[in-house]
Amino acid sequence: TLRARGMRVGFIKPVGQRYVDVHGHRVDADALLMRDVYGCANELKDMSPIAVDRRFTRRYLDQPAPQELERVVCESFARVAEGKDMVVIEGTGHAGVGSIFDLDNARVAALLQAPVMLVACGGIGRPFDEITLNRAVFEKHGVRLAGVLINKVSHDKIEEVSHYMGRALERIGVTLLGVIPHRPPLLHPTIRHVLDALDATLLNGEQSLDHAVRSIVIGAMTPHQALHYFEDRCLVVTPGDRDDLVLTAISLASTTQDIEHTVAGIVLTGGVRPRRSVLRVIQRTAIPVMVSDEDTYRVASALHDMMVKIKPNETEKIHLVQQTYEKYFDVDRLLERIA
């Protein structure tokens, strides 16, 4: 949206908690996404200067070095900002996240002298409470609040939330910059997401890893009953020895030419691989089938807790995000607020 207004835009996520390894460097997954989608010219290590791994906090508490972390962030920001009209700085979580190692979001914003846009989810009461709480933390650090964005609101509540949240925020001198509708497809994982989240072994369907999953079915019923649950783009999770359910899912998917709109994939649990005869049937299809060493309960729990992050190759999701924000986000008002 900023680029469409002729701006040269940079991106940095100073502190990242979900990192990936790229050529020996740990970088936040969001920084990698932004570089790949928008072709940001800066080095990844500058777009994601600090990646917090599981031992990061312990190491810091053993040897606190706040000045060093601040130096790294400031120097990376300076390189990202060079030749830019605007830099988008992405935080991580609420205002206080990172305070245990002296680099919470409010501190980073103060360090970089950046105004803040808060993003809250849902309706009216709860997000307003979260906004006032976060606002207090930023004000303590002398950081100015540029405005608020309310995300993931039901379509039928857009006007109501816009009206009442706008009035509530106006009472405390805060600007509402937009109310973004909930877009269910953005939350649908792909088979690739599932494979990564479960650290499973793929047996079949490598060409179909980008198929979306709309629902998850736990295979704990008879094949006849299962037919009522094997719906559009479902992921079937079943013990590896349930040949009957596996063959039912495969047969159902084979009855249509559009495999993507039947069973999206199958997860076999308990580390049990299908028998050779069943595997031969599976391999005649393009349906992704994977094996997890965990039991069905643990697999189901992992899928429930899975955080779906957009990947660079998910062009439909990216386009949907862009279209949505162009319509519902008042970027011109934001630019006025930070001018």
Side-chain angles (χ1 to χ4, degrees), residues 110-122:
L111 197 64
L112 302 180
Q113 301 180 14
V116 167
M117 180 177 71
L118 286 175
V119 181
C121 287

Side-chain angles (χ1 to χ4, degrees), residues 164-291:
Y164 285 105
M165 182 58 81
R167 289 174 57 186
L169 291 173
E170 187 178 4
R171 289 169 53 204
I172 61 173
V174 176
T175 301
L176 180 63
L177 298 171
V179 177
I180 309 299
H182 176 52
R183 299 294 199 201
L186 297 179
L187 298 179
H188 293 158
T190 63
I191 296 296
R192 196 182 302 275
H193 282 117
V194 173
L195 189 63
D196 292 342
L198 300 180
D199 193 22
T201 301
L202 186 68
L203 300 180
N204 191 67
E206 185 174 359
Q207 68 271 42
S208 304
L209 294 182
D210 293 323
H211 286 182
V213 174
R214 289 185 175 174
S215 63
I216 298 172
V217 176
I218 306 300
M221 70 286 281
T222 65
H224 178 72
Q225 291 176 313
L227 289 173
H228 299 289
Y229 296 95
F230 290 173
E231 299 176 332
D232 191 14
R233 297 190 189 184
C234 73
L235 178 71
V236 180
V237 180
T238 184
D241 57 1
R242 286 297 304 268
D243 294 345
D244 52 346
L245 284 176
V246 173
L247 291 172
T248 299
I250 295 293
S251 299
L252 182 63
S254 300
T255 59
T256 176
Q257 294 180 348
D258 191 354
I259 295 176
E260 186 180 358
H261 287 85
T262 54
V263 174
I266 302 172
V267 180
L268 305 177
T269 63
V272 180
R273 292 173 176 252
R275 288 183 290 182
R276 289 184 180 179
S277 57
V278 177
L279 183 59
R280 283 197 296 269
V281 175
I282 292 173
Q283 290 173 338
R284 294 172 188 163
T285 75
I287 299 174
V289 178
M290 65 192 80
V291 178

Side-chain angles (χ1 to χ4, degrees), residues 1-9 86-88 331 334-335:
T1 305
L2 295 171
R3 279 185 169 181
R5 283 158 174 75
M7 291 186 177
R8 296 166 296 175
V9 186
M86 180 84 69
V87 176
V88 176
V331 69
L334 171 65
L335 294 175

